[in-house]
Amino acid sequence: MFDLTSKVALVTGGSRGIGRATVEALAEQGAHVVFTYSVAAGEAEAVVAGVRARGGTAEAAQLDVRDTTASEGLIAEVAKRLGRLDVLVANAGIARDGLWVQMKDEALDETLAVNVRGALACARAALRPMMKARRGRIIFVSSVVGEMGNAGQTAYAASKAALLGAAKALAREYAKRNVTVNAVTPGFVDTDMTRDLPQPVKDAMLGAVPLGRTATAREIAAPIAFLASDEAAYVTGAVLRINGGMLT
């Protein structure tokens, strides 16, 4: 099951955390994975080397998803060079946390530019080859915070909530072209982003998880691999909660 042999996948923000685990999971199922990174070239090279050491294929491309022209150019180039684009995982994201009354416009604009506009630009570009091929999978990596909110994360919550609406709308627009669009909403995951949270915030979040622990990035990547597969052909417009019971 979940055989992705001969499929081409593109993952944004694939050099660390959930993105890296997703690159590895898709490659293990046989996909050729192109992933993007923003600045950490060394980390990206390590991901490629790790995938190849396990018999998979992957390649890295530097990209700032805020540059929508560059995003669209990269995706068009990948689809043309490799002859197809079957899967897009829009994972790149940032968090600029703080009390809302103290939040600067620049921090809000940056959050929305990466988390929303960047993801939607990639989806728009990916839809072109997918529509032509009459097949495709688009998966937005949102967050449980986009569903339930969290004090001190208004900008982040707003950006992640936007992806849920986008997934549902795009699912309706492109179902007739056999392109499915879904979102996952991870809960408290052990990544670089969550490690940087203040300890009281981490303690409060962990206390709200019935399973009593953080998720591993791999535990988020596995459901993403399912949504990318042929087995998920009848799943579209869905929001898959992966949060240890934090929100049901």
Side-chain angles (χ1 to χ4, degrees):
M1 295 180 69
F2 309 164
D3 183 5
L4 300 176
T5 301
S6 80
K7 300 293 178 66
V8 173
L10 190 144
V11 179
T12 64
S15 64
R16 61 178 66 179
I18 293 171
R20 177 172 185 163
T22 299
V23 171
E24 293 169 345
L26 297 179
E28 286 173 9
Q29 300 307 313
H32 178 85
V33 186
V34 180
F35 68 93
T36 73
Y37 66 95
S38 57
V39 294
E43 291 182 351
E45 291 170 2
V47 175
V48 172
V51 167
R52 290 176 177 172
R54 291 187 290 273
T57 60
E59 56 184 277
Q62 194 280 330
L63 177 71
D64 182 345
V65 295
R66 293 174 298 181
D67 186 340
T68 57
T69 300
S71 296
E72 293 182 350
L74 172 65
I75 291 172
E77 185 277 329
V78 167
K80 181 178 181 180
R81 173 168 56 86
L82 299 177
R84 59 194 298 162
L85 179 62
D86 302 282
V87 180
L88 168 70
V89 181
N91 168 74
I94 61 170
R96 297 290 181 262
D97 297 338
L99 296 176
W100 181 241
V101 295
Q102 299 172 351
M103 181 73 63
K104 302 296 185 182
D105 285 348
E106 292 79 8
L108 173 62
D109 291 345
E110 184 180 17
T111 301
L112 296 178
V114 174
N115 296 2
V116 183
R117 194 179 71 213
L120 291 179
C122 288
R124 181 173 56 202
L127 278 165
R128 296 186 178 110
M130 289 179 181
M131 289 172 62
K132 185 175 181 180
R134 301 190 71 85
R135 63 175 183 271
R137 303 278 186 270
I138 295 175
I139 302 148
F140 292 115
V141 179
S142 177
S143 169
V144 67
V145 172
E147 295 189 276
M148 64 182 288
N150 193 41
Q153 289 193 298
T154 298
Y156 183 72
S159 70
K160 291 301 187 176
L163 295 180
L164 305 183
K168 292 176 181 294
L170 290 173
R172 291 181 179 275
E173 283 187 25
Y174 298 100
K176 290 184 179 179
R177 294 298 184 102
N178 199 33
V179 177
T180 67
V181 187
N182 296 289
V184 296
T185 53
F188 194 14
V189 186
D190 184 19
T191 65
D192 291 342
M193 185 181 292
T194 58
R195 290 183 203 121
D196 290 339
L197 292 172
Q199 192 59 46
V201 173
K202 291 192 283 188
D203 291 343
M205 292 181 70
L206 190 59
V209 180
L211 284 180
R213 64 175 179 85
T214 58
T216 67
R218 182 72 180 195
E219 288 173 316
I220 310 303
I224 291 174
F226 161 68
L227 291 174
S229 72
D230 290 342
E231 284 80 3
Y234 203 63
V235 182
T236 195
V239 176
L240 181 55
R241 293 173 173 171
I242 319 169
N243 60 45
M246 192 175 187
L247 178 67
T248 60

